[in-house]
Amino acid sequence: AQSVTQLDSQVPVFEEAPVELRCNYSSSVSVYLFWYVQYPNQGLQLLLKYLSGSTLVKGINGFEAEFNKSQTSFHLRKPSVHISDTAEYFCAVTRSNDYKLSFGAGTTVTVRA
Amino acid sequence: ETGVTQTPRHLVMGMTNKKSLKCEQHLGHNAMYWYKQSAKKPLELMFVYNFKEQTENNSVPSRFSPECPNSSHLFLHLHTLQPEDSALYLCASSHQRSGDEQYFGPGTRLTVT
């Protein structure tokens, strides 16, 4: 079975600073990877996903993530955050022949002025 | 608007009560999911339905009883819950294709007293 580890539970960051959220996965087979965001009092919303091809994936709201197979990582980055990026971020993985997701525990990003 | 709605948004119930959570999707998806979200823990997949048939039950206690009358509606019937069942319950839907994203509802915040 696959699993996901999000290495930081909380990340405080100042407005307009860059942010990186770390995600590592373990799987014995090829995988698809996802990042979701959850704003307060809302459900999860897809930011981006990696299925195949270029290892650098661009998503909504200026986020991007890089798939690194050798390091089994899929870190999420944004070069300049806004107050509105304050949210919880979840990394998720599925086997490439499956549709069910395994989620990490989440990273809470708090952006301060 | 994600196309997945959940009612009620908040629910407080005693341990002897019986209540139901409702989820509805208008996205034409054929798979629907119930997740439990507790603070600082990964999302726990509870049940998966595909074309109204339950395809997964992740060792969920019998006090949680799902029902899927059609591909657009999903219910979670609750009875004799415990305080540790207090959590955010999220419904999601997707096409049953590897790599497709899941679309989430806003969740029902359940408090068991």
Side-chain angles (χ1 to χ4, degrees):
Chain A
Q2 63 276 13
S3 67
V4 177
T5 302
Q6 291 185 241
L7 298 161
D8 307 292
S9 61
Q10 298 201 35
V11 173
V13 59
F14 286 106
E15 192 175 19
E16 298 184 6
V19 70
E20 179 179 79
L21 308 183
R22 297 178 292 168
C23 172
N24 285 91
Y25 68 93
S26 64
S27 176
S28 57
V29 299
S30 63
V31 297
Y32 296 149
L33 293 150
F34 303 76
W35 274 100
Y36 283 81
V37 60
Q38 185 178 30
Y39 299 107
N41 302 313
Q42 295 186 29
L44 278 69
Q45 175 184 349
L46 183 72
L47 276 177
L48 49 78
K49 64 182 179 182
Y50 172 78
L51 303 183
S52 64
S54 172
T55 57
L56 184 62
V57 180
K58 294 191 182 296
I60 62 171
N61 301 341
F63 283 93
E64 63 181 30
E66 184 150 23
F67 171 60
N68 188 318
K69 187 175 181 179
S70 63
Q71 297 187 7
T72 60
S73 68
F74 190 54
H75 300 335
L76 180 72
R77 292 189 290 263
K78 184 169 182 177
S80 176
V81 295
H82 303 291
I83 298 289
S84 58
D85 292 321
T86 294
E88 191 153 17
Y89 292 80
F90 294 92
C91 183
V93 63
T94 183
R95 293 175 305 200
S96 57
N97 61 351
D98 198 357
Y99 61 94
K100 296 185 294 292
L101 299 175
S102 295
F103 284 86
T107 298
T108 302
V109 173
T110 305
V111 181
R112 296 189 175 93
Chain B
E1 178 58 53
T2 65
V4 180
T5 58
Q6 290 186 245
T7 55
R9 294 293 308 277
H10 300 273
L11 178 62
V12 179
M13 58 186 290
M15 288 190 284
T16 58
N17 291 157
K18 287 186 179 181
K19 296 286 184 184
S20 296
L21 311 185
K22 180 182 176 182
C23 175
E24 189 170 352
Q25 60 97 2
H26 302 283
L27 300 169
H29 293 156
N30 53 22
M32 296 188 77
Y33 313 78
W34 278 118
Y35 288 91
K36 177 183 180 182
Q37 185 179 21
S38 304
K40 296 309 171 189
K41 292 174 66 175
L43 269 71
E44 299 173 46
L45 179 62
M46 301 174 70
F47 301 104
V48 181
Y49 275 82
N50 178 35
F51 286 112
K52 304 187 299 178
E53 300 296 322
Q54 186 180 126
T55 58
E56 187 141 342
N57 175 341
N58 279 341
S59 303
V60 180
S62 60
R63 57 186 184 269
F64 294 91
S65 174
E67 178 190 0
C68 189
N70 55 60
S71 294
S72 299
H73 294 85
L74 185 65
F75 295 89
L76 188 62
H77 304 299
L78 316 171
H79 62 98
T80 59
L81 294 192
Q82 304 299 310
E84 60 265 28
D85 297 322
S86 298
L88 183 68
Y89 288 84
L90 291 165
C91 173
S93 69
S94 74
H95 295 294
Q96 195 192 2
R97 288 192 302 248
S98 179
D100 274 14
E101 67 181 275
Q102 293 181 15
Y103 290 77
F104 285 80
T108 295
R109 174 68 62 186
L110 174 66
T111 303
V112 181
T113 61

